[in-house]
């Protein structure tokens, strides 16, 4: 009887254990069906780091076999790239039941060498009787790239906005230059309305200054082209002597107002009729000369020197334009920044 009872108890225990094994196997199959198509990785383990479950997408996502993680959860260190230690007794002790701890970390696939950003969450399961934890590894690589792109776009937008604001605030000086010439010539025109030759002279100066001002305003209105790098070069036929005369008509009155000596020197010019962007060239020279007038003391000297160099390839001709003055000059530190957009020594 005793032997029979022992045999009965053993058989019943076997059936119970077998039933539990079937239940665990069934539960794992259900979890596999749920987690297999997902990108998130799930690992269930005890406080003693005994692994109870690993989602089947482990190898597909990180490159470490499911069996290797089941054997030892610390094999996750094979994919560690940022040397952040997350699995240890001290870490688990800080996570109360029902609470979570998470960290963003970089993991590298040991097979492919691909580095990806993961959000690692360790949650202490709250049901009674067990002391289990679940780790969730969520791929955040795409989100990180999008965030970096958005941050870069925001920084670019801020920089562009600051550049435009600075540009527009500094444009007041550049716009006043031809505007003062127009107003000055208009005043002289009114005083000499009976002198036909003077009227024609001042009218021509007003026209040339107005055209220069119009080109400047068009540049301000075409900021979108400037930002996108699509500034158009308008090639037209123009006379170099006429351009220099137009520039002189605008600069000379300003120089005289400060009792400055303004001189244009041309040397080795073999031909005055050219093909090029007259407006752009005029703007460059006008900006240099107006700054020279502005930052040169009363009674100073300003010189625009044009030299025709030897002919370039084909029909191209090389010119050198030099603006020199005996004004305040620039510091050595600022010379390193003269090619920065919209840069000035001081705002005036």
């Amino acid at each position: 009887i005793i032997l029979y009872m022992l045999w009965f108890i053993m058989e019943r225990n076997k059936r119970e254990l077998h039933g539990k094994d079937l239940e665990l196997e069934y539960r794992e199959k259900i979890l596999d069906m749920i987690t297999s198509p997902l990108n998130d990785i799930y690992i269930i383990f005890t406080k003693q780091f005994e692994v109870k479950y690993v989602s089947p997408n482990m190898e597909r996502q990180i490159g470490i076999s499911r069996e290797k993680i089941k054997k030892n959860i610390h094999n996750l260190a094979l994919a560690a790239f940022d040397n952040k230690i997350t699995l240890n007794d001290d870490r688990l002790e800080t996570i109360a039941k029902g609470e979570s701890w998470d960290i963003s970390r970089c993991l590298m696939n040991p097979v492919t060498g691909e580095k990806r950003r993961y959000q690692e969450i360790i949650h202490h399961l709250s049901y009674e009787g067990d002391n289990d934890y679940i780790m969730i590894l969520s791929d955040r690589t795409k989100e990180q790239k999008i965030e970096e792109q958005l941050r870069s776009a925001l920084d670019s937008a801020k920089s562009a906005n600051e550049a435009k604001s600075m540009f527009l605030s500094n444009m007041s000086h550049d716009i006043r230059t031809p505007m003062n010439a127009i107003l000055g010539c208009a005043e002289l025109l009114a005083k000499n309305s009976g002198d036909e030759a003077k009227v024609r002279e001042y009218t021509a100066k007003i026209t040339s200054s107005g055209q220069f001002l119009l080109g400047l305003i068009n540049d301000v209105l075409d900021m979108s082209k400037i930002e996108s790098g699509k500034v158009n070069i308008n090639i037209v036929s123009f006379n170099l002597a006429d351009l220099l005369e137009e520039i002189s008509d605008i600069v000379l009155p300003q120089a005289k107002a400060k009792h400055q000596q303004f001189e244009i020197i041309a040397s080795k010019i073999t031909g005055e009729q050219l093909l090029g962007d007259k407006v752009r060239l005029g703007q460059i020279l006008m900006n240099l000369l107006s700054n020279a007038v502005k930052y040169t003391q009363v009674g100073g000297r300003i010189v625009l020197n044009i030299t025709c160099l030897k002919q370039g390839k084909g029909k191209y001709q090389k010119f050198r334009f030099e603006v020199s003055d005996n004004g305040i000059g620039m510091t050595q530190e600022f010379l390193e920044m003269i090619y920065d957009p919209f840069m000035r020594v001081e705002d005036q």
Side-chain angles (χ1 to χ4, degrees):
I1 294 173
I2 293 173
L3 290 174
Y4 175 77
M5 291 178 64
L6 289 174
W7 174 82
F8 177 79
I9 292 171
M10 291 174 62
E11 288 296 320
R12 186 183 64 181
N13 290 339
K14 286 182 181 179
R15 287 194 298 270
E16 289 178 355
L17 290 173
H18 182 65
K20 288 182 178 181
D21 289 340
L22 290 176
E23 183 180 354
L24 290 173
E25 185 179 346
Y26 175 75
R27 189 181 301 172
E28 184 168 331
K29 287 182 179 179
I30 294 296
L31 289 173
D32 285 351
M33 291 174 60
I34 296 172
T35 60
S36 182
L38 302 178
N39 290 328
D40 290 351
I41 300 169
Y42 298 87
I43 304 173
I44 300 175
F45 61 96
T46 67
K47 191 175 182 179
Q48 291 73 36
F49 301 110
E50 177 188 351
V51 179
K52 290 186 173 182
Y53 176 77
V54 180
S55 57
N57 55 2
M58 168 63 73
E59 188 165 4
R60 170 168 57 87
Q61 290 295 106
I62 295 186
I64 303 175
S65 68
R66 186 182 188 184
E67 290 71 22
K68 185 170 289 188
I69 300 299
K70 283 183 177 181
K71 184 178 180 181
N72 188 346
I73 193 172
H74 293 293
N75 283 328
L76 271 174
L78 296 173
F81 177 70
D82 50 19
N83 297 322
K84 292 182 179 179
I85 300 174
T86 59
L87 283 176
N88 55 45
D89 294 330
D90 294 337
R91 179 69 64 195
L92 296 184
E93 286 292 341
T94 63
I95 309 173
K97 280 197 173 187
E99 294 184 358
S100 301
W101 176 86
D102 68 279
I103 187 174
S104 179
R105 65 180 309 179
C106 185
L107 299 178
M108 182 175 67
N109 190 311
V111 178
T112 64
E114 182 184 14
K115 300 171 187 175
R116 302 187 71 84
R117 175 65 59 181
Y118 283 88
Q119 189 73 18
E120 181 181 308
I121 301 172
I122 300 178
H123 181 74
H124 194 164
L125 299 176
S126 58
Y127 56 86
E128 296 181 0
D130 287 312
N131 204 14
D132 293 345
Y133 297 82
I134 182 169
M135 175 189 288
I136 305 171
L137 293 170
S138 299
D139 193 342
R140 294 288 184 265
T141 306
K142 289 184 179 179
E143 289 86 342
Q144 184 190 26
K145 289 182 179 179
I146 293 173
E147 184 179 348
E148 290 174 353
Q149 291 171 355
L150 290 174
R151 189 181 297 111
S152 176
L154 179 61
D155 292 341
S156 298
K158 286 181 178 179
S159 299
N161 188 57
E162 290 173 0
K164 285 189 287 186
S165 299
M166 185 181 298
F167 176 79
L168 293 174
S169 66
N170 291 335
M171 280 298 295
S172 58
H173 165 70
D174 300 324
I175 292 175
R176 280 198 301 267
T177 300
M179 197 67 206
N180 288 334
I182 292 172
L183 294 174
C185 288
E187 184 179 350
L188 293 173
L189 181 63
K191 291 180 179 179
N192 298 275
S193 58
D195 189 333
E196 186 177 345
K198 292 288 186 182
V199 169
R200 284 197 298 270
E201 178 187 350
Y202 295 141
T203 302
K205 291 181 178 181
I206 289 173
T207 301
S208 62
S209 298
Q211 289 174 344
F212 178 81
L213 180 60
L214 179 61
L216 197 60
I217 292 173
N218 285 336
D219 278 348
V220 176
L221 297 177
D222 285 344
M223 281 297 293
S224 59
K225 291 183 179 180
I226 294 175
E227 291 176 359
S228 62
K230 296 180 180 178
V231 179
N232 296 323
I233 301 299
N234 187 23
I235 304 298
V236 297
S237 175
F238 71 95
N239 187 277
L240 181 61
D242 292 342
L243 174 62
L244 296 178
E245 184 178 355
E246 293 172 6
I247 292 174
S248 178
D249 290 341
I250 298 175
V251 176
L252 188 58
Q254 300 178 56
K256 285 183 177 180
K258 296 182 68 174
H259 305 287
Q260 295 169 340
Q261 180 185 353
F262 174 58
E263 187 178 1
I264 297 178
I265 302 174
S267 58
K268 301 180 182 180
I269 305 297
T270 56
E272 295 182 354
Q273 199 65 28
L274 306 173
L275 284 175
D277 195 326
K278 177 184 176 182
V279 174
R280 301 289 178 195
L281 178 59
Q283 287 176 353
I284 293 170
L285 295 177
M286 187 62 66
N287 285 335
L288 293 173
L289 289 168
S290 62
N291 279 338
V293 172
K294 180 179 179 181
Y295 296 108
T296 299
Q297 69 279 2
V298 174
R301 184 170 184 264
I302 300 163
V303 178
L304 170 59
N305 199 321
I306 303 101
T307 304
C308 182
L309 307 176
K310 64 179 182 179
Q311 188 168 346
K313 294 181 180 179
K315 298 180 180 180
Y316 292 98
Q317 185 69 56
K318 291 183 178 181
F319 289 85
R320 182 172 63 214
F321 297 87
E322 295 177 289
V323 175
S324 58
D325 60 68
N326 59 350
I328 62 174
M330 293 183 232
T331 64
Q332 187 63 38
E333 293 76 17
F334 186 79
L335 283 174
E336 298 176 0
M337 300 184 291
I338 59 174
Y339 294 110
D340 293 347
F342 318 125
M343 183 60 66
R344 290 181 185 270
V345 176
E346 57 183 79
D347 293 328
Q348 294 184 2

